[in-house]
Amino acid sequence: MTRRLAFVAPAVAIVALLLSWERELSFWAFALDLVVLGSVVVAAVYHAEVLARRVGEPFGTLVLAVAVTVIEVALIVAVMLASRGEPSSLAGDTVFSVVLITCNGIVGLSLIIAAFRHRVPTFSAEGSGAALATLAALATLTLVVPRFTTSSPGPTLTGAQLTFAALASLLLYGLFVFVQAIRHREFFVPESEDNGSIVGQLDGDVPSNRDAVTSLVVLFIALVGVVGLAKTVSPNIEEATHQAGFPPAFVGVVIAALILLPEGATAVRAAWDDRVQASMNLALGSAMASIGLTIPVIAVVSQIIDTPLLLGLSSVQVVLFALTMFVAALTITPGRSTVMQGGVHLVLFVGFVVLSASP
């Protein structure tokens, strides 16, 4: 997104919000609001990136992750509020979709592009392996374990179990940020790259204080637009999903794809420039932030609005997750890849989309 559009999109979003608030949307109004919502999400991430470059590591990583998480939480909570009181699997479906899209879609596309342009792209097995191990632990504790617990009915957790999962998510994600940004930063920054961290891949010089303050103000406006428009279009998204014959879980796929669009584009651009480690950091970092920051917030929100949280994955989802982690481990271990690894991940991504639409 260009700088001009990054400033125009939040203003347009606020106008669209004022015109749509508490109104039943026609098809064209819904379509227009959806386009505006997608644009303001990209704009919000753009301004978060400006702030991230200004404050530097490790705080820049947290700024970017928190901004994206606010967007994700806003979209999830908006849909949960629309069906208040009813058991909701949206948080689990969305987080699972983020994991599968990043580990198969973004990683697969990045590897295959890098392999076609540079034959055998390389990356840090130590850094990417640590990220994958953290992601596997986070996803298993929050998404797989609830399916097999017996203390509460269905794919849910008891209050104590949910508290543990939320705290464990925060702890593991915080530990990873510390390792990546401070303790073992060299594992995530190959010698051929000046800066391989999540934030370090952003283009451009360090912004001035004036630019940073401006982006902070516009970011706040953009997030207001995201939250408001998400609440406005959420009933239409559910209705459109139902009319298309897709299962309710497909709403999570739509939300995940929307919030990952900016970071996915950045990861693919990095792979094009033979910075595969940057792509790995962005993809796996996005998935970890989605679990480590979203699950704790959603857990608190579910208690406030008294909505049971269904986190456990279905049998098909568990199989897809296990296969993805196994294949990703084999991809990362050598520290280099070919078009074969990228192709395998892309096939798994397509399989995930097909099975999400028709389980």
Side-chain angles (χ1 to χ4, degrees):
M1 173 174 280
T2 65
R3 177 179 174 84
R4 178 176 296 179
L5 289 178
F7 282 91
V8 171
V12 174
I14 295 299
V15 173
L17 177 60
L18 293 175
L19 294 175
S20 305
W21 187 254
E22 297 296 336
R23 295 182 182 179
E24 185 174 345
L25 302 180
S26 65
F27 171 79
W28 293 110
F30 165 64
L32 181 60
D33 279 355
L34 204 58
V35 171
V36 174
L37 178 59
S39 300
V40 76
V41 165
V42 178
V45 174
Y46 171 90
H47 290 291
E49 289 173 348
V50 172
L51 290 173
R53 290 206 311 270
R54 183 68 188 90
V55 300
E57 294 284 14
F59 305 106
T61 300
L62 294 176
V63 168
L64 186 54
V66 168
V68 173
T69 300
V70 168
I71 295 171
E72 182 177 358
V73 170
L75 293 171
I76 294 173
V77 172
V79 179
M80 289 175 64
L81 288 174
S83 56
R84 187 167 185 165
E86 299 179 6
S88 175
S89 63
L90 182 63
D93 292 333
T94 302
V95 171
F96 172 71
S97 298
V98 168
V99 173
L100 270 288
I101 291 173
T102 53
C103 290
N104 289 324
I106 297 177
V107 168
L109 186 58
S110 297
L111 290 180
I112 207 166
I113 287 176
F116 271 118
R117 282 182 52 83
H118 310 285
R119 192 171 177 79
V120 182
T122 60
F123 48 88
S124 170
E126 293 90 347
S128 299
L132 183 65
T134 307
L135 175 59
L138 284 169
T140 301
L141 287 174
T142 57
L143 301 178
V144 178
V145 169
R147 174 173 173 78
F148 299 99
T149 55
T150 58
S151 299
S152 58
T156 62
L157 296 173
T158 64
Q161 292 170 340
L162 186 59
T163 300
F164 166 74
L167 292 177
S169 298
L170 283 173
L171 176 63
L172 285 175
Y173 180 69
L175 180 61
F176 177 81
V177 170
F178 170 74
V179 169
Q180 183 193 41
I182 301 175
R183 184 71 174 182
H184 295 291
R185 187 171 177 272
E186 67 276 9
F187 289 165
F188 304 88
V189 188
E191 293 181 359
S192 60
E193 298 178 12
D194 293 330
N195 193 337
S197 67
I198 294 175
V199 176
Q201 304 312 315
L202 310 177
D203 299 325
D205 298 327
V206 176
S208 65
N209 288 333
R210 179 179 178 181
D211 289 339
V213 171
T214 302
S215 285
L216 178 62
V217 174
V218 179
L219 174 61
F220 176 78
I221 296 173
L223 293 178
V224 170
V226 169
V227 174
L229 285 177
K231 183 179 185 302
T232 300
V233 304
S234 59
N236 298 77
I237 292 177
E238 289 188 306
E239 180 64 23
T241 301
H242 176 72
Q243 291 183 356
F246 296 145
F250 198 76
V251 177
V253 179
V254 175
I255 293 176
L258 182 62
I259 63 175
L260 288 174
L261 178 62
E263 291 180 292
T266 304
V268 171
R269 186 171 69 246
W272 180 271
D273 295 333
D274 197 23
R275 295 185 287 118
V276 180
Q277 185 58 48
S279 299
M280 291 291 188
N281 289 340
L282 283 161
L284 299 178
S286 298
M288 280 187 289
S290 178
I291 301 176
L293 300 177
T294 300
I295 292 297
V297 174
I298 294 298
V300 173
V301 171
S302 68
Q303 297 300 311
I304 293 175
I305 65 176
D306 194 25
T307 298
L309 203 55
L310 308 179
L311 290 176
L313 302 177
S314 67
S315 300
V316 174
Q317 290 174 326
V318 170
V319 171
L320 285 174
F321 170 72
L323 181 58
T324 295
M325 292 298 103
F326 176 71
V327 170
L330 294 179
T331 297
I332 288 173
T333 299
R336 60 181 185 172
S337 67
T338 65
V339 292
M340 186 71 238
Q341 284 89 342
V344 171
H345 282 282
L346 284 181
V347 168
L348 289 179
F349 169 70
V350 174
F352 155 69
V353 175
V354 171
L355 290 173
S356 296
S358 181

